[in-house]
Amino acid sequence: QVTLVESGGGLVQAGASLRLSCAASGRTFSSYTMGWFRQAPGKEREFVAAVTRNGGGTRYADSVKGRFTISRDNAKNTVYLQMNSLKFEDTALYYCAAGRSAVIRVVGREYDSWGQGTQVTVSS
């Protein structure tokens, strides 16, 4: 397993941008598919985006497609989530997750390690 630490959350106005980062410990970061999930108050955790081990493949939830971009830097053991044109409904606690599957998974239980989360609040 890896230890994941998210950062970059904050309070912004609708239409603004934020970039989340997730730093991973260990020397096996490049062997993990990485994902971002979010959970809003009173709602279930939902898939946001994921990227394959080498960064060559990505997948997004329909709700963020065209606005969010996931990327990774294996040399820095870090995965990013660039969030543009933020909406009020993007308000949530955002989690980074690492999974051993070579194929992108959109279900949380398919991931092995989780960070503590970083709060994103978008004011309307």
Side-chain angles (χ1 to χ4, degrees), residues 31-92:
S31 66
Y32 289 90
T33 293
M34 299 300 297
W36 286 96
F37 289 76
R38 67 186 182 186
Q39 187 167 20
K43 295 186 177 181
E44 293 187 353
R45 182 178 60 194
E46 65 174 357
F47 170 78
V48 176
V51 60
T52 54
R53 295 168 176 172
N54 65 0
T58 58
R59 185 169 177 178
Y60 298 91
D62 288 343
S63 59
V64 307
K65 203 171 293 184
R67 300 188 298 122
F68 291 11
T69 302
I70 189 171
S71 62
R72 67 189 296 163
D73 185 339
N74 286 345
K76 296 182 177 179
N77 282 11
T78 302
V79 61
Y80 305 97
L81 185 67
Q82 177 67 43
M83 306 186 295
N84 298 329
S85 302
L86 282 162
K87 303 177 181 180
F88 174 76
E89 51 264 41
D90 293 319
T91 295

Side-chain angles (χ1 to χ4, degrees), residues 99-110:
R100 292 191 175 275
S101 172
V103 179
I104 286 178
R105 305 293 186 183
V106 300
V107 178
R109 63 176 179 271
E110 302 282 354

